[in-house]
Amino acid sequence: MIGVNLWRKLLAAGALLLLWEGAVALSSDAVLISSPSDIAGYLSENFALIARASVETSRNAFWGFLWGNAAAIVLSATMLVLPRSERFLLALALLVFCVPLIASGPILRVLYGPGTGPQVTLAALAVYYTTLLALLVGLRAVSQNWIDLMRVYGRGPLATLMRVRARASLPYLFVGLQISAPAAFLGAMIGEFTGAERGLGVLTLRAMRGLETDATWSLALLSAAIAMTGYGALGWLGRRAVGYAPEILLSAPRQDADQTWWRSLGQTLLIVACVVAVWQLTMDAFDLNRFFAKRPGDVWGFLIVAENRDTLVAALAQTLGSALPGYLAGLSLGAGLAALLILWPGLAQATLPFAVALRAIPIITTAPLLVLGFGRGLAGTTVVVAVMIFFPTLVACQQGLRQTPGQVADLFRSYGAGRFVFLCKAQIPAMLPAFFASARMAVPAALLAVTTVEWLATGKGVGVLMATTSSTSNYNMLWSCVAALAGVAAAAYALVAALERAILRVYASEQLT
Amino acid sequence: MISPDIICDAVTKSFGATQAVSEFSATLKAGHTTALVGPSGCGKSTILRMIAGLETPERGEVLVGDEAPDAVARRGALAMSFQDPSLLPWRSVSANIALGAELARKPADQVDHLIDLVGLSGFADHRPAALSGGMRQRAAIARSLISKPEVLLLDEPFGAVDAITRRRLNVDLPPLWRARGTTVVLVTHSVEEALLLSDRVIVLSSRPASVVADIAVDAPGPRDSAFLDTPAVQDHARALYSALEGR
């Protein structure tokens, strides 16, 4: 049976390749699309070069994967042991995560100098937050009864952590690790975009700038294939090690009942002050050169000059204007398709594996192709941002729709309610937490996508401002861009989170703890 | 093994604005089985949880022998079976049962025997997800028995178990804890179950829980299904029902 299945799959793949080849041969746009034979040709001609670059990028991604996930484990354990630190640490982790990688890249480059430091750090930065969130959910995915059970035998928090929480969080950890694998690869590639000597990112940048279609296609597909291999391998390992998948991955932010607006404001200010202090102190502690390692004071001094501020604000407005349509399109398409697929369950069974697999592709590695296809204007940017957000949203919403308990479904069926009524009255409310969780996570993703496209291709916005300032050594502007992006991302994230709380208070109050 | 008396002295407990238990006093004798019956949500489980040390009374005191409940828990001399079986999903049935001994720091030498006793032979290596609700609950009861506790607290232990198995367990399990001299406190909705298992039945009023009736079950004869048909026990049953109905 397996043999027959395999043959069928091979046949389908072969047919697909032939179709592709034929379509390219017939189309007049040979400049934009490469055929499988072109790609095979390019890969075999440049085999040694590409193999070296792949090993280099994979190695950087691997180290970043290790460091980032280790950091996530340490952070989550700290938050569990010291619950009071959680709110603060989580906000800090979010703020760092919100800085688009393409913005931290040039900064890390000037701090580290030549070498693989920035790539590895970016890979780590790309993974730690998702693993941290998954772990925090996992460590709490413990029923109160299990904790009572431990207490009935006179066992305390430590025994609970070791015997119950650690084991219960294992499937969540593996999901985090699995999503990390392509993310780490993405981080390493972005590190290479921002000024490395070797690696697939460097080759991609060169191919893009030189308008080499075959090279761009080959490198994008190869990067995607490597990232998906990592995703698949960790998924297999997780299934072997754990044997079952976790129930709920994305959850609404925790909020204390006594939280008032002035306390939130106070906490926000405290976090901002801490970030500024950490920034200043790291620079001083390592005695970094003031020429490229700007302090908060330098950025402030730079930005109070109206001319500088206007340049930055104009670029930011451009970037946000490009990001917003893609963000909204990606979210609504993802949620809409999830709802459509649930109405036709057969279709969903066929598409879910694709959606899960495509979620694994670091979309940024295919951004060059999308820009080739859709142009360097608003359309191209919108498509890249939308595609970046679409797949995670689709998968999360499909999982959310399936959260509706079977008994509720039976109840609706017993009244003869149709699929559409069931969708609107039971499934969509059940989906909302997952939808908003992905809407929050999509904020940094959208900014990353838009700045990367700007850096690579469009020549507009903050992305390109950073690219030019890092090459002209205008480090004041570079640091200002990074600070502004982090601020904007955090503010947008907070906005989505506030909207989420307002809506979930009505539809899913039990999810707000 | 000498089991302790359980002394509840004017115990009061509220959750927010609702008072769950008000001035509950009783001495539950060592080696006896006491059933707490009463309407849903009347605070029986809260009393049980205070005896387990899971809740602290805001007034009054619970003593197990001369110790506080959490001290008994730390000795591994307490075990509880919850309404929800709360099995660990990554452990097999036998490993879940053995957990009771591990946590109490006692030898896990009776796993197979207990699996047979609760009727789970052949399921020792199954994960909880593969079991029915009633089977999970039976595994949880076995887990509470394996550490040979001095104090055994059963919160609706057979709620999800099917009627036939429930009747069998009601007859088969008590000899085990009677032989060990365990002090047992049982929360149940079933008057028949309370009579079959207990030496004493305390009927509680609706929230806040306080004692409405206190009946000693002193009918002679073996505690099997025929026991319920003896005139003395039927008198008890009538008395219990009228207490529950507030007459």
Side-chain angles (χ1 to χ4, degrees):
Chain A
M1 280 311 282
I2 294 166
V4 173
N5 251 328
L6 189 65
W7 276 113
R8 239 181 238 159
K9 278 183 190 160
L10 284 175
L11 266 176
L16 208 67
L17 283 177
L18 273 179
L19 262 175
W20 179 358
E21 185 82 39
V24 175
L26 290 176
S27 86
S28 51
D29 264 349
V31 198
L32 294 186
I33 308 174
S34 297
S35 68
S37 58
D38 293 335
I39 292 168
Y42 177 83
L43 287 177
S44 64
E45 271 168 41
N46 300 283
F47 182 78
L49 174 72
I50 290 176
R52 271 201 308 278
S54 304
V55 170
E56 172 74 16
T57 307
S58 306
R59 191 192 298 134
N60 294 335
F62 173 77
W63 284 110
F65 177 88
L66 283 190
W67 283 112
N69 285 312
I73 292 172
V74 170
L75 273 174
S76 63
T78 312
M79 291 181 201
L80 203 71
V81 176
L82 303 168
R84 285 178 163 277
S85 73
E86 176 178 337
R87 184 178 285 277
F88 176 71
L89 283 181
L90 207 55
L92 205 61
L94 173 69
L95 198 66
V96 174
F97 179 71
C98 272
V99 181
L101 298 180
I102 199 91
S104 3
I107 295 225
L108 291 170
R109 180 58 65 198
V110 294
L111 296 182
Y112 276 101
T116 60
Q119 293 93 300
V120 173
T121 311
L122 284 184
L125 284 174
V127 304
Y128 81 98
Y129 192 67
T130 39
T131 305
L132 174 64
L133 288 191
L135 263 177
L136 281 178
V137 175
L139 288 167
R140 295 213 180 83
V142 168
S143 97
Q144 180 61 40
N145 283 316
W146 296 345
I147 298 171
D148 284 350
L149 180 71
M150 303 301 283
R151 286 179 59 202
V152 160
Y153 290 100
R155 296 305 192 90
L158 190 66
T160 311
L161 177 65
M162 304 297 286
R163 280 176 182 272
V164 178
R165 289 188 195 276
R167 183 59 182 77
S169 70
L170 210 57
Y172 294 83
L173 174 65
F174 267 100
V175 169
L177 293 181
Q178 193 182 12
I179 299 173
S180 291
F185 198 79
L186 164 81
M189 276 196 74
I190 288 179
E192 291 165 357
F193 287 163
T194 55
E197 297 92 33
R198 280 184 296 276
L200 287 173
V202 176
L203 295 183
T204 303
L205 198 64
R206 206 180 290 158
M208 282 284 298
R209 298 241 158 105
L211 295 173
E212 298 168 46
T213 311
D214 291 348
T216 310
W217 273 87
S218 309
L219 292 166
L221 291 180
L222 181 65
S223 312
I226 297 175
M228 283 184 67
T229 307
Y231 181 85
L234 276 159
W236 177 82
L237 202 67
R239 281 192 299 279
R240 287 295 300 265
V242 181
Y244 63 100
E247 280 161 15
I248 303 169
L249 257 188
L250 300 162
S251 65
R254 284 150 56 88
Q255 199 190 24
D256 299 340
D258 61 343
Q259 189 75 357
T260 50
W261 66 269
W262 51 269
R263 272 188 67 180
S264 308
L265 184 71
Q267 270 169 345
T268 313
L269 289 177
L270 181 70
I271 287 161
V272 170
C274 283
V275 170
V276 170
V278 168
W279 176 0
Q280 177 80 38
L281 290 175
T282 349
M283 301 280 129
D284 291 346
F286 293 100
D287 201 18
L288 295 169
N289 189 337
R290 274 204 103 89
F291 174 64
F292 54 77
K294 299 296 182 189
R295 273 64 166 176
D298 299 327
V299 168
W300 180 259
F302 177 76
L303 283 180
I304 51 174
V305 180
E307 187 192 342
N308 301 331
R309 198 172 58 228
D310 292 346
T311 313
L312 178 62
V313 168
L316 258 183
Q318 172 83 48
T319 298
L320 293 179
S322 313
L324 193 63
Y327 176 77
L328 295 177
L331 280 183
S332 41
L333 284 176
L337 186 64
L340 267 183
L341 290 178
I342 211 91
L343 288 177
W344 289 282
L347 203 59
Q349 293 225 318
T351 51
L352 190 62
F354 282 105
V356 170
L358 285 172
R359 182 180 66 165
I361 300 182
I363 293 297
I364 281 304
T365 62
T366 60
L369 298 184
L370 296 171
V371 171
L372 271 182
F374 293 92
R376 289 166 190 255
L378 186 61
T381 319
T382 304
V383 170
V384 175
V385 175
V387 168
M388 179 100 174
I389 293 169
F390 172 75
F391 290 108
T393 308
L394 173 65
V395 173
C397 287
Q398 284 196 304
Q399 285 168 346
L401 284 169
R402 276 185 273 120
Q403 290 299 319
T404 320
Q407 285 156 349
V408 175
D410 291 344
L411 175 75
F412 274 73
R413 213 168 293 140
S414 72
Y415 284 102
R419 274 186 202 163
F420 188 70
V421 173
F422 181 53
L423 177 73
C424 294
K425 288 196 191 286
Q427 290 181 303
I428 287 183
M431 180 195 84
L432 285 175
F435 171 77
F436 276 107
S438 47
R440 262 185 292 129
M441 296 300 285
V443 169
L447 281 172
L448 170 63
V450 73
T451 46
T452 308
V453 174
E454 286 170 351
W455 179 286
L456 288 176
T458 62
K460 293 188 205 105
V462 180
V464 90
L465 190 59
M466 289 189 302
T468 50
T469 51
S470 77
S471 58
T472 59
S473 306
N474 185 358
Y475 291 116
N476 271 322
M477 182 58 98
L478 181 61
W479 282 89
S480 304
C481 288
V482 172
L485 274 175
V488 166
Y493 187 99
L495 191 71
V496 178
L499 195 67
E500 172 180 23
R501 276 196 298 273
I503 291 181
L504 292 193
R505 195 166 291 137
V506 178
Y507 283 101
S509 50
E510 79 285 354
Q511 303 242 5
L512 297 174
T513 39
Chain B
M1 180 171 69
I2 299 155
S3 292
D5 285 350
I6 298 169
I7 302 142
C8 298
D9 183 14
V11 177
T12 299
K13 178 78 185 174
S14 316
F15 297 100
T18 27
Q19 200 169 40
V21 180
S22 170
E23 304 271 321
F24 175 78
S25 291
T27 299
L28 314 180
K29 282 190 50 191
H32 280 214
T33 299
T34 308
L36 304 177
V37 297
S40 290
C42 77
K44 333 181 266 292
S45 290
T46 306
I47 294 174
L48 208 62
R49 289 174 63 82
M50 287 192 285
I51 297 172
L54 293 173
E55 309 283 354
T56 319
E58 56 194 68
R59 282 200 309 280
E61 192 181 26
V62 177
L63 279 177
V64 177
D66 50 5
E67 292 172 290
D70 52 343
V72 185
R74 278 196 295 277
R75 285 197 286 120
L78 205 143
M80 181 162 175
S81 190
F82 299 88
Q83 282 180 48
D84 180 299
S86 323
L87 303 176
L88 300 180
W90 52 87
R91 281 178 172 241
S92 66
V93 166
S94 59
N96 260 300
I97 294 173
L99 181 70
E102 285 171 35
L103 292 177
R105 301 184 176 88
K106 302 272 171 66
D109 51 4
Q110 281 197 316
V111 177
D112 295 335
H113 171 63
L114 284 170
I115 286 180
D116 285 345
L117 192 68
V118 298
L120 286 176
S121 319
F123 293 94
D125 298 326
H126 285 52
R127 293 277 173 94
L131 303 184
S132 73
M135 293 163 93
R136 284 181 219 167
Q137 218 170 18
R138 284 185 265 153
I141 294 167
R143 178 181 64 197
S144 68
L145 292 171
I146 194 165
S147 56
K148 302 192 177 83
E150 297 167 25
V151 175
L152 176 63
L153 307 173
L154 303 172
D155 193 353
E156 309 253 8
F158 308 110
V161 178
D162 66 275
I164 294 169
T165 313
R166 184 171 184 160
R167 179 62 70 87
R168 189 176 67 68
L169 291 178
N170 281 342
V171 172
D172 288 355
L173 290 184
L176 185 73
W177 62 67
R178 281 180 206 284
R180 289 172 180 175
T182 312
T183 308
V184 182
V185 187
L186 164 77
V187 164
T188 179
H189 280 302
S190 159
V191 166
E192 284 73 22
E193 186 166 274
L195 289 170
L196 258 181
L197 296 184
S198 323
D199 304 296
R200 175 185 179 191
V201 182
I202 297 178
V203 181
L204 295 165
S205 66
S206 192
R207 214 168 255 260
S210 55
V211 180
V212 175
D214 191 339
I215 295 171
V217 185
D218 48 9
R223 298 274 176 120
D224 52 24
S225 34
F227 175 75
L228 287 175
D229 299 329
T230 58
V233 177
Q234 294 209 324
D235 286 347
H236 287 322
R238 267 191 294 279
L240 281 175
Y241 274 118
S242 61
L244 277 169
E245 285 160 12
R247 275 182 276 144

